[in-house]
Amino acid sequence: MKKSITLLFLFLTVVFVNAQTNKSSVQKSSIQKNTELKDTVAKKASLTVKKPIFIDTIPNMEVVRKLKLYKKSVHASYYADKFNGKRTSSGVKFSNSGYTAAHKKFPFGTKLKITNEVNGKSVIVEVIDRGPFVKSREIDLTKRAFMEIASNKGSGSMIVTIEEIVD
């Protein structure tokens, strides 16, 4: 039900955008009707869809994914280079050039969206290890994932928001 409402909302948004670009061929009254319809659908969709969504682009395909907020304002750090090539808790070989993470509770294979709260940059990582084993830290990212969203490349930690990607 939620997916159909979301897809209807996206379809109506595309229709509305097309109507706005073709003003010369569409009468103003029909544009106003489309706008009213879009507003009505948007209000209904906002009442029923509780999880935020984002569109991830894969070549020749768009995928709509749902996000479930896990925690806000938590500390994230990154793996030291000495762990490169070693086995993780899940048995996967660790590489600091990938997009993976260590978390204490999420099952292996869980995809997470990590957003830097300072600059709004985000990255998607997969949980393949346990940790971090420091009480003040919530998640360890690979160096590549950390540097992609870091506002200060010289720091070793940052404040992030963690959202679970629910398919």
Side-chain angles (χ1 to χ4, degrees), residues 11-46:
F11 174 75
L12 290 174
T13 303
V14 170
V15 169
F16 178 72
V17 169
N18 286 339
Q20 289 295 85
T21 57
N22 297 325
K23 281 185 179 179
S24 61
S25 64
V26 179
Q27 296 176 355
K28 288 186 178 182
S29 62
S30 66
I31 291 175
Q32 290 172 347
K33 288 178 185 175
N34 284 342
T35 305
E36 291 170 6
L37 179 62
K38 179 185 171 247
D39 291 341
T40 305
V41 171
K43 286 178 186 174
K44 287 182 181 177
S46 67

Side-chain angles (χ1 to χ4, degrees), residues 69-81:
L69 179 64
Y70 176 69
K71 282 190 180 178
K72 280 187 168 192
S73 301
V74 294
H75 282 90
S77 57
Y78 65 91
Y79 280 89
D81 287 329

Side-chain angles (χ1 to χ4, degrees), residues 83-96 98 100 128:
F83 295 108
N84 234 4
K86 296 190 177 181
R87 296 268 174 211
T88 62
S89 298
S90 66
V92 176
K93 199 175 195 182
F94 176 74
S95 171
N96 239 340
T100 57
I128 63 164

